[in-house]
Amino acid sequence: MDLNSASTIVLHVLTQATSQDTAVLKPAEEQLKQWETQPGFYSVLLNIFTNHTLDINVRWLAVLYFKNGIDRYWRRVAPHALSEEEKATLRAGLITNFNEPVNQIATQIAVLIAKVARLDCPRQWPELIPTLIESVKVQDDLRQHRALLTFYHVTKTLASKRLAADRKLFYDLASGIYSFACSLWNHHTDTFLQHISTGDEAAILNSLERTLLSLKVLRKLTVHGFVEPHKNMEVMGFLHGIFERLKQFLECSRSIGTDNVCRDRLEKTIILYTKVLLDFLDQHPFSFTPLIQRSLEFAVSYVFTEVGEGITFERFIVQCMNLIKMIVKNYAYKPSKNVEDSSPETLEAHKIKMSFFTYPTLTEICRRLVTHYFLLTEEELTMWEEDPEGFTVEETGGDSWKYSLRPCTEVLFIDIFHEYNQTLTPILLEMVQTLQGPTSVENTSALLIKDAVYNAVGLAAYELFDSVDFDQWFKNQLLPELRVTHDRYKPLRRRVIWLIGQWISVKFKSELRPMLYEAICNLLQDQDLVVRIETATTLKLTVDDFEFRTDQFLPYLETMFTLLFQLLQQVTECDTKMHVLHVLSCVIERVNMQIRPYVGCLVQYLPLLWKQSEEHNMLRCAILTTLIHLVQGLGADSKNLYPFLLPIIQLSTDVSQPPHVYLLEDGLELWLVTLENSPCLTPELLRIFQNMSPLLELSSENLRTCFKIINGYIFLSSTEFLQTYAVGLCQSFCELLKEITTEGQVQVLKVVENVLKVNPTLGPQMFQPILPCVFRGIIDGEMDQLLGNMIEMWVDRMDSITQPERRKLSALALLSLLPSDNGVIQDKFCGIINISVEGLHDVMTEDPETGTYRDCMLMSHFEEPKVAEDEEPPTEQDKRKKMLALKDPVHTVSLQQFVYEKLKAQQELLGEQSFQALMETVDTEIVTQLQDFLQGF
């Protein structure tokens, strides 16, 4: 591609590719795609995006095409790889000038230089790092910034390489440039601190930006550039210096406004300092040991004393708490139970940690966490009033939850309490003791303090197991507080019911549950929505608990279910509806068939909710889960739901419909339980099976459920099902058998087995095409040889069959070859008798009164089994399988009698003399055992 003539053409096409008109855009994109593999194309792109006079959108697009080209064609082994000559030219052109005026394009250029560096630096591009170092020293502001930006992206990319040879190269690079990186960071930091006093916002922002970039470089070098960083004085000097720099930057926040770009950059820089410490602690815990004391002193002073007042901000407090937490929890700092097995490094770190966390320090941290950080803020209380559903979503882990202060303080409290519970338990119990009795609704401060303390008791439930008589506390203190209906008391009503939920699986007497259920019924009618939602959460924890008893719950079931349904209708947020649906599902699952009288209202509402949730696939997943439990609870009566249920299954399992990505797994589960509980096959239920063929082609993790669904249809109505779908199913199975694992092949064979069991007339015809696929490689050769090999393998592998039913079936199958005068069968006669005697040992039980033997697997009639309270009742499919078992030879044919009849027939066929000669091939001990079993015939 000639550069001069090509540049004009490429520029024209790139201009068209920025058009909003698809008629212009599409042909341009096609042309650019064709040029991607043309020699010289990327040189033309380089000329275009480095030409600052051209349109910004065109240059932006040129950079993106160049960047994508690096991913696809820069490696030597890539198809249509760039020539070494063109790559050399491009590398030189990329670092000729660092003077890109547009920030977004400058960042993209820095990223693409880093991509090339990942592949070529330092071997094919030794001049890159020296060029960057020289460029960041220049006085020109723009060139300096762009070089520093590139320096950061290159360092970040090289630091991310993980192969040993690449790590060694990065260690060498870090050692060579660390001093320079430190001096660069110090220079820009000092410049920023000088500018702060002048109040020149542009100069402050300029120097702060460079401080941030140089610190980003140092972070990568410090964390990833040294095997034993504690042995490098410059590294440890930089890390020790962070604390002083942090103090300086935090003080600077006093002189910078709270709402401008400088403030944003300043806070980002402060957070980056904390990230350096956190990353270094994570990667090099023992190298961090000399920093433990200083880190704890710094973090605790700014978070738990007056030092930080007026200068700290939420994200900084979160980072400091994370630093404390990582030191407290660090596995490297915990000695073994046998101290002698611990390393000196571990013992040293542990000693520093223990010397810091003295009783006064722990006391102050605990009290400040509970009485300061756990308090509901004005902002939270306002949100409670104005957006109660938003408040509950935030409290239970919304999108911003991970980085917010409240969850961070709660996690820190849990970790510290676990580590130092002997010290902190008396402190927390003393705080509880001071709050005994009712609290005045006029005293808002006291109510919020009690809320915070109860929060702490809930979080520390497992640690307080031996120290709190929760049952007495529940009866004497908590239950009366739940009965206070005043509006100002609602934070405590919510907190108390939450607290009970935390303790329900820790320590809560079963006989107290009816009192709790009574309280839950009342709170589900509370005037406050947040209290009702929290109560629903505790109800879920209660019914999920191991000690849940249905008989205690049933008197309250109708009231609770009605109130939960009303709550589901009232809430409007998708997340809240999902949550309430989940609670309803848990209740339905636990009470099973007992739910039938109360589900009418929910059944009528779910179609409307499904329609309203068209844009909310996760809510639809929650509806599917509810329907699964509903169908299981309704059993055969679930047929009444088919007009709503079957279209949902159809949509959820149709791989041509976009929602299947979210709904498929739950949709398949619903399909399965619908079949299992269906009393009969309807045309609509049969029609849904059209979705199965594409599902089998996916060969996904849902394949096992697909096979269960296929078996469900076979058990439900094999004739109708096979007449409609057998041909397509055989084709799918033949394709599957070429690809799937042995386990998958077994699943196919189980389907074939079930068809043969359920429909011995139609089954063999329908599945005949599949047999060559199953037995390929086995059915070659002479028939007698094949028969001999099969019997021999069967006999040899009998010990691998562990299920008694299967072992009896094998014995029946081998015996069915008799009587026979076939030489091969007579050669294997000994093996057949051995298997038969093994089978008799498996199934025969002796009657102690008569001394005779009987086959324990024989079944004569179907009995509806008695279901214990904690057991699920049998599904319609369970009953179908039970009825099928009554026709199964394993349960209808006496192995003892079958052996006798087959041996007698063999004797009659061969004559007495030949038969005795055949019996002599069997071990005498086996013959003796056989005669014992056949006494009385």
Side-chain angles (χ1 to χ4, degrees), residues 267 271 274-275 313-320 403 405:
E267 291 190 357
I271 293 303
T274 62
K275 284 182 177 178
F313 51 96
E314 186 171 298
R315 188 75 194 279
F316 171 72
I317 295 171
V318 167
Q319 292 292 90
C320 286
Y403 300 107
L405 186 55

Side-chain angles (χ1 to χ4, degrees), residues 571-777:
V571 296
T572 56
E573 293 292 326
C574 179
D575 286 336
T576 325
K577 282 191 178 291
M578 285 168 56
H579 177 61
V580 179
L581 267 176
H582 191 46
V583 178
L584 280 163
S585 295
C586 290
V587 171
I588 295 168
E589 184 180 15
R590 291 312 296 261
V591 302
N592 209 288
M593 295 169 61
Q594 313 271 13
I595 199 67
R596 291 180 183 181
Y598 315 118
V599 296
C601 55
L602 181 63
V603 167
Q604 290 175 356
Y605 176 66
L606 284 177
L608 175 64
L609 185 59
W610 180 265
K611 188 175 181 181
Q612 291 172 344
S613 62
E614 192 169 354
E615 302 300 317
H616 303 283
N617 286 309
M618 298 313 293
L619 177 53
R620 286 196 158 184
C621 286
I623 297 172
L624 288 172
T625 304
T626 304
L627 285 170
I628 289 167
H629 295 308
L630 204 51
V631 169
Q632 289 169 329
L634 290 172
D637 291 346
S638 60
K639 186 184 175 188
N640 298 327
L641 302 183
Y642 283 7
F644 166 54
L645 200 61
L646 300 187
I648 284 181
I649 297 172
Q650 166 73 39
L651 173 71
S652 305
T653 59
D654 184 350
V655 297
S656 68
Q657 297 290 332
H660 91 272
V661 175
Y662 303 95
L663 307 179
L664 180 59
E665 187 174 345
D666 293 317
L668 286 171
E669 192 64 33
L670 179 58
W671 190 357
L672 177 60
V673 299
T674 301
L675 282 169
E676 289 174 342
N677 289 279
S678 178
C680 60
L681 182 66
T682 67
E684 295 79 15
L685 187 55
L686 181 63
R687 197 175 302 123
I688 296 175
F689 196 80
Q690 293 170 357
N691 285 359
M692 184 56 71
S693 183
L695 288 167
L696 293 174
E697 288 174 19
L698 283 179
S699 294
S700 66
E701 65 276 5
N702 295 310
L703 205 54
R704 184 183 292 271
T705 310
C706 290
F707 281 120
K708 288 181 180 178
I709 290 167
I710 294 166
N711 285 320
Y713 277 101
I714 291 165
F715 290 128
L716 183 57
S717 182
S718 63
T719 303
E720 281 182 82
F721 172 66
L722 291 172
Q723 286 174 343
T724 311
Y725 292 110
V727 174
L729 202 54
C730 280
Q731 291 173 348
S732 296
F733 280 178
C734 287
E735 290 300 314
L736 268 178
L737 287 166
K738 297 174 187 175
E739 303 169 10
I740 56 176
T741 59
T742 305
E743 185 189 355
Q745 293 170 354
V746 170
Q747 294 292 333
V748 173
L749 291 175
K750 281 183 178 176
V751 171
V752 176
E753 179 190 359
N754 285 329
V755 170
L756 297 175
K757 275 186 185 177
V758 175
N759 206 321
T761 307
L762 198 57
Q765 302 169 33
M766 293 294 185
F767 281 99
Q768 194 172 2
I770 223 171
L771 296 179
C773 299
V774 175
F775 294 109
R776 63 181 183 276

Side-chain angles (χ1 to χ4, degrees), residues 470-522:
F470 192 80
D471 297 326
Q472 285 300 316
W473 197 34
F474 169 74
K475 286 191 293 186
N476 300 334
Q477 175 75 23
L478 301 180
L479 208 51
E481 295 202 279
L482 288 178
R483 294 173 182 146
V484 181
T485 58
H486 197 284
D487 185 59
R488 288 185 193 162
Y489 219 78
K490 64 188 179 189
L492 268 182
R493 289 199 300 277
R494 168 201 169 243
R495 180 59 68 193
V496 169
I497 198 65
W498 170 87
L499 172 61
I500 294 167
Q502 302 309 297
W503 276 84
I504 200 79
S505 60
V506 178
K507 183 192 279 187
F508 196 84
K509 279 185 181 172
S510 180
E511 53 263 33
L512 294 178
R513 288 190 177 235
M515 296 169 70
L516 173 59
Y517 295 146
E518 189 75 43
I520 287 174
C521 287
N522 291 331

Side-chain angles (χ1 to χ4, degrees), residues 530-544:
V530 173
V531 174
R532 294 204 298 279
I533 293 169
E534 194 66 67
T535 304
T537 306
T538 294
L539 174 58
K540 177 191 172 297
L541 295 170
T542 307
V543 299
D544 270 351

Side-chain angles (χ1 to χ4, degrees), residues 20 63 247 289 349 505 721 724 744 891 915 935:
Q20 301 296 314
V63 170
K247 287 179 182 178
T289 300
S505 60
F721 172 66
T724 311
H891 299 298
F915 179 70
Q935 280 180 359

